[in-house]
Structures are given as C-alpha cells and as structure tokens.
Amino acid sequence: GLPERVTVYEVGPRDGLQNEAAVVPVEVKAEFVARLAAAGHRVIETTSFVHPRWVPQLADASELLDRVERVPGVRYPVLVPNERGLDRALEHGVEEIAIFASATETFANRNLNRTLESQFAMFEPVVARALGNGLRVRAYVSMCFGDPWEGPTPLAQVVSVGRGLLDLGCYELSLGDTIGVGTPGHVAALIGAFGGPERLAVHFHDTYGQALSNTLTALREGVTVVDASTGGIGGCPYAESATGNLATEDLVWMLHGLGVETGLDLPSLVETSTWLAERLGRPSPSRVVQALGTA
Ligand code: HMG
Ligand code: MG
C-alpha cells in the first residue's frame, strides 16, 4: 500500500543553491523561500551554517535568515555541521537544524574534514546543545548507496552510521543517495536493513534517472517523508558527479496521480521554477517543469 499523505521536505534553497556556479543574490533566495511557502510547503531547508569558504554560495546564511518572513506553521531548518555553525544558527532564532554525516570514509574526509569515526565527536555536542535549547534535529547520512571513490556502500555500514545518529536524539534520518546511483531493489534492501521505515526519510539525487522509481519503492516500504528540490536543482560540491535532487514537481505529479496528498500546488511550483530558471540563466532539468512551464 501507499501512504495517504506524504510530507515533502523541500531542499531547493539549500541543496539546490549550494551547487550553483554563480552566487545567487540574497533577495532572490528570500523570494524563492517565500514562493515555496506560498505554494504550500510546510518545511523548507533554507540554508547552511557551514564554513563560508567551503560553500561560498551559502555564505549569506545570516542575512538570508534575517530577510525570510517566517510563515506560521512553516518550518525553516538549516544545515549545521559543528558547534560554530550551531552558535550562528541560534543567533538567528533557528528552531530546527540538520546535521549531515557520511556513510563512507572518503566522503567524511572530503565533505567534513573528519573520519567516519571522528565525525561523531563533531556532531555529539551539536545535537546535545541543540536539544537542550529546544530545537528539533534531523540527520542526514550521505553516500548510502555508493560513493565515487569506494564503490557500493555496505548496508551494514550505512545502518551503523544511521543508528548512531538516531541514538544521538535526532527525530529523523534522511537516507542520502548523494550521487544518484541507487536502484529500487537496493532501496528496499536498505530500508529492510534498518528494520523498517520508522523515522526514515529519503533523499535521492537524480543523476541516473532513478530518483522517482526509488521514491516510489521507499513509499511502498512505508516511508512518508521525501526530500525534493523545486526545479530539480542541487548537488554536492564535494561529491564528483552529484547532480540535481529529485524535482519537487516530478514528485508531486506522481503523488497526485496516485491520489496521495501533499498540500502542494503544482502550478505555483512550476511558476516558481520557471522564475528561478530565468534568474539562474538555464532551464530546469525537471521534466514536469519542461512540460508545463512557460519558459
Ligand atoms: P574544518 O576546517 O575541519 O573546521 O572544517 P575546524 O573545526 O578545524 O575550524 C577551522 C576554522 O573554521 C575555525 O576558524 C573555525 O572557527 C571556522 P579559526 O579559529 O581558524 O579562525 N569554522 C567555521 N566558521 C563558520 N561557520 C562554521 C565553521 N566551522 C568552523 N560552521 C567543517 C570542518 C565541517 C566546518 C567544513 O568541513 C565544512 O564546512 N563542511 C561543509 C561542507 C558542505 O556544506 N557540504 C555540502 C552539504 S552536505 C550535502 O550536500 C549532502 C546532503 O544533501 C545529503 C546527500 O545528498 O547525501 C545533506
Ligand atoms: Mg543532497
């Protein structure tokens, strides 16, 4: 069976804009976030408090948060890797953060400058202090299916990192296919290896065109939270061959076709993607945006 309702966890302003070659002006980012809320999004990952030299595209995180007019009932989580990032987030009244771990040694090193083991020493005090301040904490685990350097990731290794993150007190674990190599059988096997869908979300990049099939598989396994980016933008600057996230429009087309509720207005999302594509200077990779958009 399928869930009656799916929560779309929108990552466009963060995962999408972190990977743009050009830095997007902060007022465009603020308008993007406002349009997403107006289209019905109830959770919008807005930016990252990472090192500004590591991700210059999101170096304006503080200024953006000051500009975003928070709509009641909408959550605006931000990515936070360490205590310095948490301090910055707390200064701006953030109520939810997401930490992001790696399932592989090489990516832990490249993305976080840590080992598989030592990434936990970085996250532990972040989660403890965030929970102590009444924040919600989400966790990502990246490279769940494979990474560009080590090949396929052993299921047990993903489960070990993922369980470790949940045990810190994170309310949810998002399984990241950072480079989009996963296929449906692998998705079902990974959810099975966790012992079921409880507290799991999925985060598929569409590099190999598998994101929608993988999502449908996860829904059939009982997952009800799906990460997606409006317009299908996204990627990780520290992962070779990472392309855009599953496009929110493609996801919504499928879910509404299946009679699954999302609370999202597809025409508004398409209009926003068309507007954003004009600002980014290139068309959206989303098939639904190409079919329904006016640009
Ligand atoms: P590091 O160099 O080991 O940091 O980087 P450090 O702790 O040694 O600190 C060095 C200096 O940086 C210090 O300054 C710190 O204050 C400063 P100094 O005392 O020398 O003057 N610093 C900071 N400044 C501002 N904000 C901060 C911060 N932290 C330290 N937060 C670090 C470690 C984690 C900071 C770095 O590796 C980093 O920023 N990495 C982030 C990379 C990133 O954002 N990648 C993309 C997001 S992950 C993703 O996209 C995957 C996902 O979508 C899921 C999927 O698709 O699988 C989530
Ligand atoms: Mg991602």
Side-chain angles (χ1 to χ4, degrees), residues 83-261:
E83 290 201 85
R84 176 79 189 96
L86 179 62
D87 291 338
R88 293 171 62 205
L90 289 171
E91 280 165 25
H92 293 277
V94 163
E95 292 174 349
E96 177 169 339
I97 63 167
I99 58 169
F100 51 104
S102 171
T104 71
E105 192 68 57
T106 313
F107 189 63
N109 192 264
R110 290 191 177 232
N111 197 48
L112 295 167
N113 196 24
R114 294 296 182 275
T115 63
L116 201 50
E117 201 49 49
S118 76
Q119 61 183 342
F120 280 94
M122 181 165 74
F123 297 134
E124 259 172 41
V126 173
V127 178
R129 271 184 57 208
L131 295 176
N133 279 278
L135 272 59
R136 277 162 73 98
V137 186
R138 185 184 215 230
Y140 286 96
V141 58
S142 287
M143 302 297 183
C144 283
F145 296 89
D147 98 352
W149 310 278
E150 298 178 27
T153 314
L155 295 180
Q157 197 171 311
V158 180
V159 173
S160 158
V161 173
R163 281 258 160 261
L165 297 168
L166 286 170
D167 289 347
L168 294 180
C170 299
Y171 76 90
E172 180 170 275
L173 179 71
S174 180
L175 303 176
D177 188 2
T178 322
I179 56 168
V181 292
T183 45
H186 198 163
V187 171
L190 182 58
I191 295 168
F194 271 97
E198 207 192 332
R199 288 161 83 191
L200 297 181
V202 288
H203 179 102
F204 295 119
H205 285 264
D206 202 29
T207 319
Y208 291 81
Q210 305 298 300
L212 208 47
S213 324
N214 288 343
T215 300
L216 183 58
T217 303
L219 297 178
R220 287 199 174 124
E221 296 295 325
V223 168
T224 60
V225 181
V226 179
D227 299 2
S229 104
T230 292
I233 54 174
C236 179
Y238 294 97
E240 289 159 26
S241 77
T243 64
N245 289 86
L246 169 62
T248 307
E249 293 89 344
D250 297 10
L251 173 63
V252 168
W253 180 270
M254 179 180 79
L255 292 175
H256 290 184
L258 287 165
V260 176
E261 278 175 45

